[in-house]
Amino acid sequence: MINVLFFAQVRELLGTAQLSIEASEQTQTAEGLRATLAATDDKWAKVLASDKLLVAVNQTISQWDTRVNDGDEVAFFPPVTGG
């Protein structure tokens, strides 16, 4: 299983902080996992648009082509801004 975490506005818009998803061929990369989750419905597709997100795999900021394995933790969160 892959433990998926959602933070900040992503969590608020999806209405969930975390979920577990079975590792599969479709979830072998961060992008594959994102696309699989985005296919849930239109709301998830909009919230999980890759141009609006950052991803971390096992608590390390990662690229979308980062490999995801069974037992990994993947977090999705909006870009951080400040002033």
Side-chain angles (χ1 to χ4, degrees), residues 3 7-8 10-11 13-15 17 19-20 22 24-26 28 48-50 52 56-58 69-72 76:
N3 188 34
F7 290 97
V10 176
R11 177 183 62 221
L13 292 171
L14 294 178
L19 58 83
S20 293
E22 192 78 32
S24 69
E25 283 189 42
Q26 291 79 23
Q28 289 181 352
L48 295 177
S50 62
K52 299 178 185 175
V57 177
N58 297 323
N69 299 300
D70 191 33
D72 283 349
F76 295 106

Side-chain angles (χ1 to χ4, degrees), residues 5-74:
L5 305 175
F6 304 103
F7 290 97
Q9 186 178 18
V10 176
R11 177 183 62 221
E12 293 169 17
L13 292 171
L14 294 178
T16 188
Q18 70 179 43
L19 58 83
S20 293
I21 187 168
E22 192 78 32
S24 69
E25 283 189 42
Q26 291 79 23
T27 63
Q28 289 181 352
T29 64
E31 171 56 25
L33 177 60
R34 186 209 61 79
T36 298
L37 294 171
T40 301
D41 65 31
D42 289 342
K43 176 176 82 171
W44 282 63
K46 183 176 179 179
V47 173
L48 295 177
S50 62
D51 64 334
K52 299 178 185 175
L53 288 178
L54 294 176
V55 63
V57 177
N58 297 323
Q59 300 181 4
T60 301
I61 299 286
S62 301
Q63 300 297 314
W64 291 108
D65 61 353
T66 299
R67 184 128 176 105
V68 176
N69 299 300
D70 191 33
D72 283 349
E73 176 187 272
V74 178

